[in-house]
Amino acid sequence: MFCQYRIWRSIYSDFAAFPETDLDDETCHAYEVYTDETLREIRDHGFNGIWVHAILAHIACAAPFPELSPHAEQHREKLRILIARAGKYGIKVFLYIQPLRAVPLREKRFWEKYGDSVGGSEYPDARALCISTETVRNYLERLAENLAEELPGLGGVLLITASELPAHCYSHRQRKNEQWGITCPRCAEREPSDVVLDQLLAFRNGVRRKSQTMEIIVWTWSWSMWGYQAPWREFLDRLPPDVTVMTDFERGGFQDYWMHPRHRIDEYCLSFAGPSEACSKTLEYAGKRGMKRMVKLQFGTTHELASVVSLPLLTNVARKIRACRELGIDGFMGCWNFGSFFSANTAAAMYFLNCDAQLDPDEALRMFVREYFGPGCDPSRVTAAYGMFEDAMHYFPFSNVFIYNAPVNYALAYSEVYSPGPAGSAPCGPSHLDVHPRGDSLAGAADWQKAGARREDVYSMQEILETLPRLCDAWEKAAAALQDALRECGTENA
């Protein structure tokens, strides 16, 4: 079935990456956010799934470490409420999980009791449960079995194994790396793919003891950090075909930007229509293995641009959906942890998913804007304005270093911070996290060496200073053209 799963997330639900206690987890509070009204709105906008961040040991309980699950039943009670309520609107609940998250070092009794017998790589505030031990493999399998047994109405799980948060012994660890070297002697003798597959297979086997229908979605995000490349044969060849593969739509692609021809895309990206070659390879290979296939998309805005409601790049949204049709995907996850607002972008995505598959993307866009903006809309002028926005984005200095470290996300809020005079040494800080004091130094926006990036993937400060005025000028012209094209429209959408 084409695009069976269309998964969304509310901007008001707290991902809670660093909870003070397990009762602060999103699994305990998502039901408060996803009210009947919210779920009805999600359904009416064309989505049939929502995802919630979960820590497996907090919602499932198993021997030999039941002490890691002190309030598991409370988590499950709240999730059952959410699952039942969402089901009334034809919406499935998916849990986003790292199997297994590292155990905090503050759990002193646990580590005094078990220590090196199950402990693996150490991180600043936590230590991994080493999957290379039979004890941990069996524990994970029992946890997954308990999850499937206690939450039979769950739509599925989204499993990420190369995540930024400490999990297994190879989380942000490599064999030969002075700064990020692996510290577990057992896993250091193994391939990273072996460690990851031990986790995935233990989880899958546990779930399948109780459920043959629960979706087990494996995300290929950043498996490249260990030196592997799409189509990830080292992983997919050893996964059973009842596992669904999800891959990033844009990462690994190339886009021509001003002064940066064939610039590498290593983040979610609306200015690049995609798909990347890596995405296409992965989906093709997974299809040959008989697996369902999903993609990670971003419709409303782009990751780390958390303060932007919507980037109006509908032409590329149309092209993305056309490509998804051609690839025959089984579903997508449509936003990241900060969620997204509903907008013309999301409305357009659903319109393109449901319209005639043979329509040219440009013609589909003209039909959409006529319907979306209503009487008084001149589709040709509106689509031309959207094309101007797309052209303007060719001046955006796209690089992860700039997106993460420049003040583009909250410049207006910085009006009292930036003033004439020498800048300090403290960086701006990312808009999507508020974990460090914010400063006024712009240096990090172009410092490829400190970020550990490739020089060719990063814009110099001089290039940034040359591109941004052009971006602003082109963007203002596009905005004026769109405003003028919608002047005669009296609808709310306009």
Side-chain angles (χ1 to χ4, degrees), residues 54-327:
I55 297 177
L56 181 60
H58 291 172
I59 56 177
C61 185
F65 310 129
E67 62 267 46
L68 295 179
S69 312
H71 306 108
E73 185 53 34
Q74 288 177 245
H75 286 260
R76 294 194 294 258
E77 284 179 5
K78 303 298 191 296
L79 285 171
R80 290 186 190 110
I81 293 172
L82 177 59
I83 290 168
R85 187 184 299 153
K88 293 189 300 182
Y89 302 96
I91 294 173
K92 292 286 188 180
V93 176
F94 294 81
L95 297 181
Y96 167 88
I97 293 175
Q98 288 179 257
L100 286 161
R101 282 281 285 276
V103 177
L105 295 178
R106 66 174 180 265
E107 302 288 343
K108 293 183 179 180
R109 289 186 179 179
F110 178 89
W111 287 118
E112 287 172 358
K113 182 176 181 180
Y114 298 105
D116 291 340
S117 65
V118 297
S121 288
E122 294 190 20
Y123 301 92
D125 300 309
R127 189 176 183 185
L129 289 172
C130 181
I131 198 70
S132 294
T133 66
E134 185 177 6
T135 300
V136 173
R137 288 195 298 275
N138 291 339
Y139 171 62
L140 175 54
E141 196 165 321
R142 294 188 194 110
L143 278 181
E145 180 180 6
N146 181 248
L147 175 73
E149 182 176 33
E150 294 290 341
L151 297 175
L154 192 67
V157 291
L158 295 148
L159 302 180
I160 184 167
T161 51
S163 179
E164 296 160 333
L165 298 175
H168 52 77
C169 293
Y170 268 107
S171 294
H172 269 218
R173 293 286 188 266
Q174 286 93 30
R175 281 178 174 170
K176 298 178 181 179
N177 187 303
E178 291 184 7
Q179 184 179 7
W180 302 107
I182 187 169
T183 60
C184 173
R186 286 180 290 258
C187 293
E189 299 300 317
R190 307 182 67 202
E191 286 292 325
S193 57
D194 293 335
V195 172
V196 168
L197 282 160
D198 273 356
Q199 286 208 327
L200 293 175
L201 290 171
F203 191 100
R204 178 264 175 197
N205 293 341
V207 167
R208 290 294 178 246
R209 286 179 186 166
K210 298 296 180 180
S211 173
Q212 299 303 311
T213 58
M214 184 180 294
E215 293 289 349
I216 302 172
I217 303 165
V218 175
W219 193 1
T220 68
W221 185 83
S222 283
W223 283 348
S224 57
M225 72 168 61
W226 300 304
Y228 305 113
Q229 296 183 7
W232 322 112
R233 291 184 178 88
E234 297 85 352
F235 300 87
L236 302 193
D237 282 349
R238 294 165 60 187
L239 289 172
D242 63 5
V243 166
T244 299
V245 175
M246 183 170 77
T247 195
D248 294 321
F249 196 76
E250 298 93 1
R251 289 186 73 188
F254 294 90
Q255 170 88 333
D256 287 338
Y257 291 95
W258 190 63
M259 296 197 299
H260 275 240
R262 194 167 165 75
H263 187 74
R264 191 167 71 108
I265 304 296
D266 195 29
E267 189 53 273
Y268 314 127
C269 183
L270 278 168
S271 60
F272 171 55
S276 68
E277 184 180 355
C279 173
S280 299
K281 281 183 176 179
T282 302
L283 296 179
E284 180 183 4
Y285 195 74
K288 291 179 179 178
R289 296 273 295 113
M291 298 169 163
K292 287 185 179 179
R293 304 164 305 154
M294 293 178 60
V295 293
K296 170 65 184 66
L297 287 166
Q298 201 80 2
F299 289 129
T301 184
T302 311
H303 189 34
E304 273 75 47
L305 290 175
S307 56
V308 179
V309 172
S310 177
L311 286 173
L313 303 175
L314 296 195
T315 305
N316 277 351
V317 172
R319 291 169 182 159
K320 288 178 190 292
I321 298 302
R322 176 67 176 267
C324 286
R325 282 187 177 281
E326 293 173 352
L327 292 166

